[in-house]
Amino acid sequence: IDWQLYRLVDSVEDCTKALNLESGYVKALLRRAECCMGLRQFAEAVRDYEMAYELQSTPGKANFFLAVFMNN
């Protein structure tokens, strides 16, 4: 396994642990979604972006990425 892939997998695990402690942690959702994108786990990334979008009070990164996914 190459180093960058290992770091993405490790980051997903760290974000999941953080979300187990605080399910509404938007930054962890966004970071995990970005890592899932890098791992080509697109369904998981969309799920995290949708959850982050619902939790955010103002449009942000989640809104942008959802718009990109829905238009492709």
Side-chain angles (χ1 to χ4, degrees), residues 6 9-25 28-29 32:
Y6 173 77
V9 170
D10 196 37
S11 293
V12 168
E13 291 172 1
D14 289 344
C15 291
T16 300
K17 289 176 187 175
L19 289 162
N20 286 336
L21 296 173
E22 185 182 335
S23 61
Y25 190 11
L29 282 167
R32 187 170 71 178

Side-chain angles (χ1 to χ4, degrees), residues 1-68:
I1 193 165
D2 89 22
W3 180 246
Q4 287 181 329
L5 182 61
Y6 173 77
R7 291 186 67 197
L8 290 173
V9 170
D10 196 37
S11 293
V12 168
E13 291 172 1
D14 289 344
C15 291
T16 300
K17 289 176 187 175
L19 289 162
N20 286 336
L21 296 173
E22 185 182 335
S23 61
Y25 190 11
V26 174
K27 185 174 180 178
L29 282 167
L30 292 173
R31 179 143 313 139
R32 187 170 71 178
E34 290 174 12
C35 292
C36 286
M37 290 290 294
L39 294 167
R40 302 183 62 80
Q41 298 173 346
F42 301 121
E44 292 85 349
V46 169
R47 182 196 64 222
D48 283 349
Y49 282 129
E50 288 175 336
M51 288 173 48
Y53 176 78
E54 291 175 15
L55 291 169
Q56 286 182 323
S57 58
T58 58
K61 188 182 281 190
N63 188 31
F64 170 76
F65 282 106
L66 282 174
V68 169

